[in-house]
Amino acid sequence: ASLMGRRARRLLAYWRRRDRRNRDAHGIVLMYHRIASLAADPWELAVQPDHFEAQLRELKKHADIVRLSRLPGELRKGRRSRPVVAITFDDGYADNLSVAKPILERFDAPATVFLATGFVGRREEFWWNRLARLLLSGHALPPRHGLIAGGSAFRWDEPALGANGKAGHRARLRLHDRLWDWLCGQSEEDRGRVLQELEDRLGAPAAADRGGWPMTADEVRALVAGGLLDIGAHTVTHPMLSRLPAGDKAIEIRQSRADCRRLSGHDPACFAYPHGDLDAECVELVREAGFDAACTSEPDLVWSTGDAHRMPRIFVHNEGGDALLRRLRWYWLA
């Protein structure tokens, strides 16, 4: 019944969106993270470089790619004969500069990169990628183990972790998802201590994938050089904002804006909520901080009559250009 209910809701949303498209100007914001080929990618954050190039080729043929900061204004001009698309990247990975920027330049395609500013300059992985590498890249995992951080305990008892094939993989994914959720609620210091404990326990080497490291300040400046790419704010420590007290929310939002100003020389126009997690208080704080627009992770079209501080985004998979275009046309633009 639950599955049938979800299908019915999606179908209803599809037809409502299709009817609304005939009346309201609309656009699409695409959400990327990395341009890379990865072995362990549980969140499907990476798009292969050849796929990214093919996606841009098809988008340029069939859509108008505009800056995210200009999207609300473009939609207020009314409906257009071609889809209007904005491109965004979350977190601030080094390969956004080394791999994505040259491809974007070849297609003269503007994009906005949202920086989790507290990670800028760190010569290590983002913590969620470190967790995925430790749990999903084939290291032998103990069937039972306990961790303590921030006054709370996390324990697992998963005999299937030692199994081969699908059963073992499913057990690893279950553990990964549970541990990720627990770590989201920990302080940055406690999170780092837990991951170091796991790394030591498993005897796992440090990551060799430097494209997955955060950009340095110099790399951020190189990213925006030339004016094709903008940076936006994505908080300082990439928390679940809705779980924070109002004062901490405000610090994360305002400080990331100040950091972006220091890195780029001007105020960022746009913000993105980490994990797509937000509440009404977050939206108001983002608006008060001076951002013109903000992005969620809710999949939908952006409407001319919508709230510019709750702009939906459509997640881009590691798929070819034809496949992306078919998905956008069939589901979102039909």
Side-chain angles (χ1 to χ4, degrees):
S2 176
L3 179 60
M4 291 298 292
R6 287 196 300 271
R7 287 176 175 170
R9 286 193 295 272
R10 284 199 299 266
L11 187 60
L12 179 61
Y14 171 87
W15 285 109
R16 284 178 172 170
R17 183 169 57 249
R18 185 169 181 171
D19 179 63
R20 186 178 181 183
R21 283 188 61 248
N22 293 323
R23 303 188 309 272
D24 297 344
H26 50 274
I28 291 175
V29 180
L30 297 178
M31 178 170 57
Y32 292 89
H33 290 78
R34 297 193 59 189
I35 305 301
S37 299
L38 302 181
D41 188 16
W43 300 111
E44 299 181 348
L45 300 182
V47 172
Q48 294 171 207
D50 59 330
H51 284 171
F52 183 54
E53 186 165 354
Q55 290 170 1
L56 288 182
R57 183 176 296 111
E58 291 303 312
L59 287 171
K60 288 291 285 189
K61 285 180 186 175
H62 302 284
D64 295 329
I65 303 177
V66 302
R67 291 182 185 278
L68 177 67
S69 59
R70 296 179 182 171
L71 181 60
E74 290 292 330
L75 296 182
R76 285 193 292 270
K77 295 177 182 177
R79 298 178 73 244
R80 300 164 68 141
S81 59
R82 282 160 54 97
V84 185
V85 175
I87 295 172
T88 66
F89 291 82
D90 279 10
D91 305 332
Y93 293 92
D95 60 34
N96 293 173
L97 170 66
S98 61
V99 183
K101 183 178 180 179
I103 299 173
L104 289 162
E105 287 177 330
R106 284 204 293 276
F107 290 94
D108 193 29
T112 296
V113 177
F114 291 112
L115 299 180
T117 58
F119 294 89
V120 171
R122 294 192 187 180
R123 301 288 77 193
E124 61 184 15
E125 301 163 281
F126 288 97
W127 73 263
W128 50 90
N129 291 329
R130 188 179 180 188
L131 178 66
R133 176 174 57 82
L134 291 172
L135 298 187
L136 303 176
S137 294
H139 306 295
L141 301 176
R144 296 173 185 83
H145 194 59
L147 300 163
I148 296 176
S152 66
F154 180 93
R155 295 181 178 86
W156 75 77
D157 186 351
E158 283 273 10
L161 286 171
N164 295 320
K166 292 182 178 179
H169 184 64
R170 284 196 296 268
R172 285 172 178 266
L173 286 173
R174 284 195 301 271
L175 175 59
H176 170 273
D177 292 351
R178 287 182 55 222
L179 189 48
W180 175 85
D181 187 66
W182 181 67
L183 287 172
C184 278
Q186 305 303 322
S187 71
E188 190 175 11
E189 182 180 357
D190 285 338
R191 205 159 43 217
R193 189 161 46 243
V194 166
L195 289 170
Q196 188 60 55
E197 178 185 336
L198 277 176
E199 210 160 74
D200 294 342
R201 174 72 172 77
L202 302 176
D209 175 23
R210 297 194 174 194
W213 288 3
M215 283 183 283
T216 65
D218 286 343
E219 286 172 332
V220 172
R221 285 187 280 269
L223 183 84
V224 299
L228 187 65
L229 278 76
D230 301 318
I231 60 169
H234 198 38
T235 72
V236 179
T237 67
H238 203 274
M240 302 284 274
L241 280 173
S242 70
R243 299 184 184 183
L244 300 181
D248 292 344
K249 288 176 184 173
I251 290 170
E252 287 280 350
I253 292 165
R254 293 169 186 165
Q255 185 59 51
S256 65
R257 180 174 170 83
D259 291 342
C260 286
R261 182 191 309 118
R262 173 177 52 81
L263 288 163
S264 68
H266 56 81
D267 286 320
C270 302
F271 180 88
Y273 304 96
H275 312 288
D277 174 69
L278 70 151
D279 55 21
E281 189 173 51
C282 294
V283 176
E284 190 56 35
L285 286 168
V286 167
R287 188 178 283 113
E288 289 175 358
F291 291 99
D292 297 331
C295 289
T296 72
S297 299
E298 184 70 23
D300 199 354
L301 297 177
V302 179
W303 303 97
S304 60
T305 54
D307 185 349
H309 291 86
R310 291 177 182 260
M311 289 199 294
R313 288 188 292 175
I314 296 170
F315 191 92
V316 180
H317 302 291
N318 185 25
E319 58 195 341
D322 290 343
L324 173 63
L325 195 65
R326 280 197 303 272
R327 183 162 64 91
L328 295 178
R329 280 179 162 171
W330 183 86
Y331 192 75
W332 300 105
L333 299 173

